[in-house]
Amino acid sequence: MNLCNLGQKDIKDNLANYVQSFSRDAREIFGHFNFSEFVGQLDNANQRRRQSQPRCCATRIT
């Protein structure tokens, strides 16, 4: 896995799996910087942004 194939859905879970594939030492560095908590904050902010966006209905006029 690499950053190019994290996908468009379940990015948070895919990123967590990606980080788990690193060595123990590398994962310690991610942990030191609270990477998983930061990703969680980004995910929560993205969910709130999506909920606050107005839903519009696109209609094609021919």
Side-chain angles (χ1 to χ4, degrees):
M1 179 177 277
N2 60 43
L3 291 176
C4 292
N5 61 8
L6 284 176
Q8 294 297 314
K9 295 183 179 183
D10 303 321
I11 295 173
K12 179 183 171 189
D13 294 333
N14 294 343
L15 186 57
N17 289 333
Y18 177 67
V19 169
Q20 289 302 312
S21 70
F22 283 79
S23 69
R24 183 178 57 87
D25 292 338
R27 290 191 312 268
E28 280 185 29
I29 294 169
F30 280 100
H32 176 75
F33 290 100
N34 300 317
F35 184 73
S36 63
E37 294 166 16
F38 179 68
V39 170
Q41 291 172 358
L42 290 173
D43 187 53
N44 290 338
N46 189 41
Q47 288 177 11
R48 285 194 303 271
R49 181 188 58 81
R50 280 187 279 166
Q51 290 172 351
S52 67
Q53 287 181 337
R55 303 219 185 264
C56 60
C57 181
T59 327
R60 179 185 283 185
I61 301 174
T62 58

